[in-house]
Amino acid sequence: MSNSSIKAQWHPLLAEDMAQVDTIADSIHPGLPERPRVFAEKRNLFPAGCWKFVHEQTIVGYGLSHPWQLFDVPPLDEFLNTLPSSANCLYVHDVAILPQMRGQRAASRFIERISSEARARGIPYLACVSVYGTDRLWAQTGFETVSTEAIKPKLRSYGDNAKYMVAKI
């Protein structure tokens, strides 16, 4: 079956899905590990921004986002504890799709979904940290790289090639 004929869809991520999310995260991000409880906290704090990509009743990817402040990068594998009361961006923590399920515009479709959520909440920006050279993919969805001296130390936990990116929605 070719990727173009696969019909995977985004669905709300549930608490009982987190073990599958952790398995996918471990396979896609072996060099950027996060504890399962850290992922679960993000879903618990902001379920409206957390989705699973499902094909034939199997989770084949996920996307995690939450309200945050521009130019403030949450450190990898650390708890947020609370969300800011006056967020000005929706931070895309992670979008991970299993390799065999790529080619379906999954990331673009996730960004469209959370952009609607952000607009409904009066949040004007999306932000993310690009890893593994995915900045070109994020640029296709409207993100632009932003580099400041203040942000560079905050990117360290994301690896040497990490880039902070912002999209106006």
Side-chain angles (χ1 to χ4, degrees):
M1 180 182 291
S2 72
N3 282 357
S4 62
S5 63
I6 297 172
K7 300 284 192 240
Q9 298 293 323
W10 287 104
H11 298 277
L13 184 63
L14 307 175
E16 57 265 27
D17 300 325
M18 295 312 294
Q20 290 173 294
V21 166
D22 294 328
T23 299
I24 293 168
D26 289 346
S27 72
I28 292 178
H29 301 305
L32 300 171
E34 290 195 272
R35 292 167 287 169
R37 289 186 358 211
V38 171
F39 271 166
E41 182 206 42
K42 288 171 179 44
R43 198 220 66 89
N44 293 340
L45 285 172
F46 193 65
C50 298
W51 296 80
K52 59 188 173 188
F53 198 52
V54 178
H55 177 252
E56 294 180 354
Q57 300 178 351
T58 300
I59 298 174
V60 295
Y62 64 87
L64 305 173
S65 69
H66 56 80
W68 207 243
Q69 294 296 314
L70 279 174
F71 309 109
D72 183 17
V73 179
L76 200 60
D77 196 36
E78 289 190 19
F79 292 104
L80 301 175
N81 297 312
T82 61
L83 297 175
S85 58
S86 60
N88 60 2
C89 75
L90 202 57
Y91 181 77
V92 180
H93 178 76
D94 194 11
V95 178
I97 308 297
L98 291 173
Q100 67 272 25
M101 300 307 292
R102 294 178 186 161
Q104 299 183 60
R105 295 186 58 251
S108 295
R109 291 163 51 201
F110 177 73
I111 294 303
E112 289 167 8
R113 184 173 296 279
I114 64 167
S115 292
S116 294
E117 183 68 33
R119 279 190 294 275
R121 293 171 181 268
I123 297 174
Y125 295 95
L126 300 179
C128 73
V129 173
S130 165
V131 296
Y132 309 132
T134 56
D135 51 308
R136 289 182 301 208
L137 167 73
W138 294 117
Q140 292 172 1
T141 63
F143 284 84
E144 295 180 8
T145 301
V146 177
S147 181
T148 67
E149 288 305 313
I151 221 159
K152 288 180 183 178
K154 296 177 181 184
L155 293 175
R156 284 194 187 115
S157 67
Y158 288 85
D160 294 339
N161 297 318
K163 295 180 181 178
Y164 185 73
M165 302 186 78
V166 174
K168 175 95 170 107
I169 53 172

